[in-house]
Amino acid sequence: MTKPHSGPLDSTSLDPDDWEAFAKVAHQMLDDALDKMKTSREGRVWTPLPETLKAECSQPLPQEATALEAVQRQIASFLPYNVGNTHPRFFGWVHGGGSPGNLISEIAAAAMNANLGGRDHGAMYVEQQVVDWVREMFDFPADSSGIVVSGTSIATVIALKSARDAALGFDNRQAGHGQGQLVGYTSTQTHSCVARAFDILGLGTQALRKIPVDGAFEMDLAALNRTIAQDRAAGLQPFVVIGTAGSVNVGAIDDLSALAEIAKTEELWLHIDGAFGAAGILSPELAPKLQGLKQADSIAFDFHKWLHVNYDAGFALIRSEETHRRAFSDRPEYLTGAASGLAAGGHWPVDYGPELSRGFRALKIWQQFTEHGTQKLGEMITKNCKQAAYLGARVCEQGALELLAPVVTSICCFRYVSPGLGEDALNRFNDALVVALQLRGVAAPSVTVIDGKTAIRINITNHRTSMADIDILLDEIEAAAQELVSDFGV
Ligand SMILES: *Cc1c(COP(=O)(O)O)cnc(C)c1O
């Protein structure tokens, strides 16, 4: 027998020498993180990173070790400088507010350091539970399929790849033929991730037809039918229609049941981008508008938006498990499963998406559902819709404000109309107003453009927001506008 090698490096590892000292620092970090969350209603919404901290982010690659206390202090120094989405008056884009509970699951997930590509271990069962819950949430059949991912962008790629391969036949995965004939349909209000998925899948963004919307910002169904007919007449192969449940500009929900009818008649795959809006199925107020979700072939949505799981966490739900698996499964010999032992477990996520190694996102999702329950999560969604509706009503009352789109879900788009400014100047004024608001730090909206008009866009996907925050926002808009008016010479 050869003697085991042992040398000076043998006794070292990346584990701490002194676990008690390590624990002290770890507890300090937990305290700092809790303080951050406890005070999330206070202070400025967004504060740019100070120059000193920016400088700390342009250091050479460290060759030597740094004491853990110093590392922890450095990490803690970044805590105040998030985008602001933990603050109740963050109204920009569509960001979730996050939840303190997730601090707990993230600690456990880091300790387990689980890789959920496959194999038989505890984390896999937790993810399977999350998949089951998502099925139940959307009334999908027990044999449907799903995978936890980082967000709707990649979930869209996974869903549309399944749709593409179903349309072309799975042998296209080897032969790579025929993509030039495929075309799909979505509305002009679609999120950019849909066109990006067409690009990534080799379909080309021109193969995505953007159908105009009606006055409610919902896809014009007559125009959809016409375009499908034209494409068929031109010898193209329509394969997918993509509905939106909660559009990014104004929060509109396409007529999903009507889209399901058209998809059925035309034999198209129905995919729904429900990034934030699909979660509305948990709100008794929104659920009636979302009944069509259960007829979809696939849904992409996020836990990190309206369900407030901390970034990042999204999901791809696919009705046909077989299609989903055949679009991705391709296991080489070193990943072969076994009947028992560590390589067992019938379901390996590697067979359902582009990634092999995957972290334990499922745990924070599991915690969110378990800790709060769907009823409370739904109440938070209803509350945000009421706040957006209240804002819409107040905008309509105020002479200086003009509502630019109906309020359906959590988004209210309007502009400040300063007398004496023409259309171009108004656009510049509202752009400047939003930047001024962000810099003032009291409330942070973002902008969008609606029918050529620059809009102040208020999105409320935030469980911390109260009605009083809406009043503060309106006062702040008036104050910031008064300051700006002189700059614009009116
Ligand atoms: C946010 C959003 C996306 C993209 O989702 P990510 O999780 O950021 O990848 C897609 N569609 C809509 C409607 C969105 O609001």
Side-chain angles (χ1 to χ4, degrees), residues 94 150-154 191 193 244 246-248 273 275-276 302 304-305:
V94 184
S150 58
T152 292
S153 299
I154 188 69
H191 191 274
C193 77
T244 304
S247 67
V248 63
D273 176 352
F276 71 96
D302 284 322
H304 57 218
K305 287 180 173 169

